[in-house]
């Protein structure tokens, strides 16, 4: 749960324009993930890399005081982490789909079940199985993975843009509902697209 508190603190410290950009990217991935799969993979991997760097920033700040003192590093390092992973995700489709599924499972595991080793091991096993199943069924997997990733990103943006909405009550219904709408929209609009 410590990870969740750190991520929530980072999102609360984001400017309105950053949240709006995040919401726009999440909406694009949610509704058009399969049609723009290369771009969607780039965006998803960018968001994963950005969030991982945001998670690592307190450690980097403690290890290298020059990073902690520079606001330029505080801005550029998460962007650089996002770009590095985004370039990987843009280039390798099957690994990208498997990785997205794995990371979605691991993010949910860490956020809601903790970071003890047995919990992470079970999450990793489920993530590997989800990734393998995704590569066996590419089109539905891409649609579902991009809908969930877009729903997750959009939910975080919504909950931080509108702080009066109760996270405890609406977090899962928002992710589930938004992801379902996105998946249905993508399945309906890509019937004849390969």
């Amino acid at each position: 749960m410590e990870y969740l508190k750190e991520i929530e603190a980072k999102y609360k410290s984001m400017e309105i324009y950053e949240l709006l950009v995040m919401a726009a990217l999440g909406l694009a991935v949610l509704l058009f993930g399969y049609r723009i799969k290369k771009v969607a993979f780039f965006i998803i991997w960018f968001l994963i890399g950005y969030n991982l760097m945001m998670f690592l920033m307190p450690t980097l700040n403690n290890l290298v005081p020059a990073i902690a003192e520079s606001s330029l590093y505080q801005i550029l390092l998460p962007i650089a982490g996002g770009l590095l992973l985004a370039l990987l995700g843009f280039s390798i489709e099957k690994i990208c789909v498997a990785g997205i599924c794995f990371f979605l499972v691991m993010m949910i595991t860490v956020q809601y079940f903790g970071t003890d080793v047995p919990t992470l091991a079970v999450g990793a096993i489920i993530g590997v199985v989800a990734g393998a199943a995704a590569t066996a069924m590419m089109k539905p997997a891409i649609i579902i993975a991009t809908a969930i990733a877009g729903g997750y990103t959009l939910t975080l943006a919504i909950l931080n843009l509108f702080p009066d909405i109760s996270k405890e009550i609406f977090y899962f219904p928002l992710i589930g509902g938004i992801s379902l709408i996105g998946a249905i929209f993508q399945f309906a609009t890509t019937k004849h697209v390969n």
Side-chain angles (χ1 to χ4, degrees):
M1 291 300 178
E2 178 112 358
Y3 171 77
L4 179 59
K5 289 177 186 173
E6 288 179 24
I7 292 295
E8 284 180 357
K10 295 293 181 190
Y11 282 111
K12 285 180 184 175
S13 68
M14 285 181 157
E15 298 290 328
I16 300 268
Y17 75 90
E18 292 174 306
L19 289 170
L20 291 174
V21 167
M22 192 171 82
L25 292 175
L27 189 62
V29 170
L30 174 76
L31 298 177
F32 306 107
Y34 187 75
R35 286 189 181 269
I36 59 168
K37 60 184 165 186
K38 290 283 189 184
V39 176
F41 291 160
F42 187 88
I43 293 169
I44 291 169
W45 280 99
F46 176 83
L47 293 172
I48 290 171
Y50 187 87
N51 282 320
L52 285 174
M53 279 307 294
M54 292 293 275
F55 178 69
L56 294 174
M57 285 306 288
T59 304
L60 288 174
N61 289 339
N62 289 336
L63 293 175
V64 184
I67 292 175
E69 295 167 2
S70 171
S71 62
L72 182 64
Y73 283 135
Q74 297 296 314
I75 295 169
L76 290 182
L77 284 176
I79 292 171
L83 287 174
L84 285 174
L85 277 182
L87 291 173
L88 169 73
F90 185 73
S91 61
I92 310 167
E93 187 172 297
K94 286 194 177 197
I95 292 174
C96 185
V97 170
I100 290 170
C101 292
F102 178 80
F103 279 112
L104 285 172
V105 169
M106 290 306 292
M107 285 170 45
I108 291 168
T109 300
V110 168
Q111 279 186 339
Y112 299 105
F113 302 107
T115 57
D116 358 332
V117 174
T119 303
L120 291 176
V122 170
I125 291 169
I126 293 170
V128 167
V129 170
T135 56
M137 306 175 292
M138 284 299 285
K139 183 177 180 178
I142 291 171
I143 289 173
I144 291 169
T146 57
I148 292 172
Y152 176 78
T153 304
L154 200 54
T155 297
L156 288 178
I158 289 169
L159 290 175
N160 285 288
L161 284 169
F162 304 102
D164 293 338
I165 297 174
S166 171
K167 289 178 178 78
E168 291 79 25
I169 296 172
F170 292 107
Y171 183 78
F172 284 115
L174 273 174
I175 288 178
I178 292 171
S179 299
L180 182 63
I181 290 167
I184 290 169
F185 181 83
Q186 286 192 61
F187 277 117
T189 60
T190 60
K191 284 181 184 176
H192 304 294
V193 177
N194 289 325

